[in-house]
Amino acid sequence: MIRRLARTAAALAAASLSLTACGGDDGGTAKPAPHPVFSEPLDRQVFLALRHTQKAGSAELRQSVTFTSRHGKAVQTLTGRVDFTGSRGEAASAWRVPRQFPEDARATILGSLPGRTTGDTSSRYTVDTQTINYRAASAGYWLRYSGDIKPLWGVDSISHLRGSEAAVGGTLLEALGTAEATARTGTAGRSYTASFPLKAAMNLFPYDLRTEFVPVPLNDTVKTAQIPVTVDVDADGRVTRARADLSALLSKEKDSALADVTALHAELTLAGFGASKPTAAATPTERTLDAGTVVIPTYDAKAGDCMDFNTGLRQNRLVARVPCTGSYDGKILGQHKLAGGWPGTESAMSRAERACADTAGDRSWYTWSTGREWTDNGEGRATCYSVTRG
């Protein structure tokens, strides 16, 4: 029995040597593990690169959005940092709009404020899962938005500052999760030719600006135009740059506020993976006002109230009520009730003009209730105010 076992052991050893010889000599090098992005099906690689970017924990970002017209280019530059793990971020936005840029397009891009002014060309904000802190360039304080941000029916333009793919919203990261690649080049890193649905491109812009773009079907099963995008990914599988031609968003209607805009492009770059986290506190240590308390419709302000126009909500019917001891954008001169049912826009405007005639001046303005406000409140309101800054 002992002899048989010995023979068996010898035979197994010989077989083992034979298999080794047949298998060849690989020099002791193990087969490389599959790449988490590049080894997957091509059409999923941009999506997986986005997920791998988020696993880096944090990153610096820089994005430019360019509206091109026959009268020059309006360019927004967004810079910031995102903490993917902590779901927080900080950003600064700056617009460069040439003087000859079409007036309607300028107001639409920057947002319309009382006194025939547009929104500030620069602002800062911090974002986490619960709060958006916004500071206009013209303001000496932050506005803290938290919870359900809907001061007026249908108005929620501040929420686009918070993203779903990163804490800082309004970037191409919001669209890359739906992008499908059709071609790629490169050996170390990769450069992809891809596209994403028109609906995903809307996520880059405030709600009020989206209304000036082409209508997008609410039903996801309806096919729409695709947005072409080029995506660069480093050897580790992280997105470093994305460039998209968003011109398909532009409406062809002649009465569109963006009728003179002929092209729309966005470019995003990411760097500093894992090493660059937001430096600003989630709640700024500087003077901060609760937007839920101070941001009000103009018709709710009282005579003598002082107000700032830029609330971050891009709405000319909303103001921030501030102390009159410092600088401010305007002051309420009077509020007048307009009795009866909604008379239509032209008649409402005429009645408001007559109601505010006693306070008319070079820097005096007036506004009136919309049809919805008039109906909801059972009466109209003429608001007379002065513009003290801007």
Side-chain angles (χ1 to χ4, degrees):
M1 187 71 177
I2 293 175
R3 289 178 182 175
R4 288 181 181 176
L5 287 172
R7 285 197 210 94
T8 303
L12 289 171
S16 176
L17 289 172
S18 176
L19 287 170
T20 302
C22 291
D25 184 6
D26 63 2
T29 302
K31 185 178 180 180
H35 194 282
V37 176
F38 306 149
S39 298
E40 297 298 319
L42 176 61
D43 62 350
R44 284 178 46 81
Q45 289 185 20
V46 172
F47 165 78
L48 292 172
L50 171 62
R51 294 291 174 258
H52 212 58
T53 302
Q54 293 164 333
K55 288 181 181 179
S58 61
E60 296 178 359
L61 64 83
R62 181 182 181 87
Q63 177 173 275
S64 63
V65 176
T66 304
F67 290 77
T68 302
S69 82
R70 290 179 287 273
H71 305 283
K73 297 180 178 180
V75 182
Q76 180 202 36
T77 301
L78 182 73
T79 56
R81 297 180 176 90
V82 290
D83 177 359
F84 294 113
T85 305
S87 298
R88 64 190 184 97
E90 62 184 13
S93 170
W95 280 94
R96 187 177 70 253
V97 185
R99 288 186 178 181
Q100 65 271 25
F101 202 76
E103 184 177 346
D104 286 349
R106 177 194 295 269
T108 299
I109 291 170
L110 297 179
S112 178
L113 302 183
R116 292 188 180 175
T117 61
T118 59
D120 288 10
T121 55
S122 61
S123 60
R124 296 166 54 197
Y125 54 94
T126 68
V127 186
D128 61 27
T129 57
Q130 302 295 324
T131 307
I132 297 174
N133 294 291
Y134 175 85
R135 181 169 182 173
S138 59
Y141 55 86
W142 294 80
L143 285 171
R144 182 178 64 252
Y145 290 92
S146 57
D148 189 19
I149 307 168
K150 288 186 179 179
L152 274 181
W153 181 86
V155 175
D156 193 13
S157 286
I158 198 77
S159 291
H160 93 285
L161 299 180
R162 178 189 290 121
S164 57
E165 299 293 358
V168 173
T171 75
L172 282 171
L173 292 176
E174 300 302 305
L176 293 187
T178 62
E180 293 187 1
T182 55
R184 74 177 185 185
T185 58
T187 53
R190 302 288 191 274
S191 181
Y192 295 91
T193 299
S195 64
F196 53 81
L198 195 70
K199 184 176 181 180
M202 291 288 189
N203 294 328
L204 274 70
F205 301 98
Y207 293 92
D208 61 300
L209 183 51
R210 296 177 197 180
T211 62
E212 295 296 332
F213 292 142
V214 295
V216 175
L218 297 177
N219 189 340
D220 291 336
T221 62
V222 177
K223 290 187 177 181
T224 61
Q226 292 288 301
I227 299 295
V229 60
T230 301
V231 183
D232 295 341
V233 177
D234 66 15
D236 292 324
R238 301 171 302 200
V239 176
T240 57
R241 185 166 67 161
R243 299 167 300 255
D245 183 349
L246 305 170
S247 301
L249 287 173
L250 298 172
S251 173
K252 305 299 183 183
E253 299 294 332
K254 293 183 179 180
D255 59 349
S256 168
L258 299 177
D260 288 330
V261 176
T262 56
L264 177 57
H265 293 86
E267 179 170 347
L268 169 71
T269 57
L270 297 172
F273 297 108
S276 180
K277 292 186 177 181
T279 56
T283 301
T285 55
E286 300 162 289
R287 183 186 174 202
T288 302
L289 305 179
D290 178 21
T293 302
V294 302
V295 176
I296 58 173
T298 52
Y299 59 73
D300 279 349
K302 296 180 174 59
D305 281 350
C306 296
M307 54 190 179
D308 280 343
F309 297 150
N310 198 333
T311 63
L313 292 166
R314 301 169 52 89
Q315 231 290 337
N316 61 11
R317 306 188 64 75
L318 290 168
V319 295
R321 185 162 45 194
V322 296
C324 296
T325 52
S327 60
Y328 48 86
D329 292 335
K331 190 170 187 177
I332 299 294
L333 302 177
Q335 294 279 17
H336 304 277
K337 293 182 180 180
L338 303 176
W342 168 244
T345 301
E346 293 297 326
S347 179
M349 179 178 67
S350 297
R351 292 177 64 181
E353 182 180 15
R354 291 194 298 271
C356 293
D358 292 342
T359 58
D362 291 340
R363 298 184 66 83
S364 298
W365 296 87
Y366 62 91
T367 185
W368 58 93
S369 302
T370 64
R372 185 182 182 91
E373 293 165 354
W374 200 302
T375 301
D376 289 348
N377 296 324
E379 62 182 14
R381 183 71 60 87
T383 302
C384 322
Y385 64 94
S386 62
V387 176
T388 56
R389 179 174 60 184

